[in-house]
Amino acid sequence: QVQLVESGGGLVQAGGSLRLSCAASGNIFSINGMGWYRQAPGKQRELVAAITSGGSRNYADSVKGRFAISRDNAKIAVYLQMNSLKPEDTAVYYCNADVKYSPLTRWEAYWGQGTQVTVSS
């Protein structure tokens, strides 16, 4: 069993900043990619940012230059620094990680419970 626990969401004014954190725990042999997704009301869940175990990063066009993803492999954690927030960034943000229980098992995707980010205009 693997748990991903997010924190750091909240209400902020446009132009402000927030930092999301996600910590993984449980039966973990290895973690490959980690990332952040978001889902606004009435919309599909979308990728915001992702980072590989080697540190390669990928961002949605809508957040490039404003958001920064990082990870701490020793703490099994991933972070999302969000700057210059806009009302259209309002959504529930979900942490995602690809996890192996042992060297012989396949990669499995796990999700956090989500954290609300609300940006007021």
Side-chain angles (χ1 to χ4, degrees), residues 69-90:
I69 189 170
S70 61
R71 65 190 282 172
D72 186 330
N73 291 328
K75 295 182 178 180
I76 320 179
V78 64
Y79 309 96
L80 186 67
Q81 178 66 43
M82 304 186 294
N83 299 324
S84 302
L85 282 160
K86 304 175 181 180
E88 50 264 43
D89 294 318
T90 296

Side-chain angles (χ1 to χ4, degrees), residues 5-51:
V5 179
E6 301 116 331
S7 60
L11 173 64
V12 65
Q13 287 189 332
S17 298
L18 284 173
R19 185 174 187 254
L20 304 183
S21 300
C22 173
S25 63
N27 187 17
I28 299 171
F29 169 75
S30 180
I31 291 187
N32 193 3
M34 301 184 80
W36 291 94
Y37 289 71
R38 67 187 180 187
Q39 187 167 19
K43 294 188 176 182
Q44 288 190 333
R45 190 174 297 188
E46 63 175 0
L47 174 68
V48 176
I51 184 168

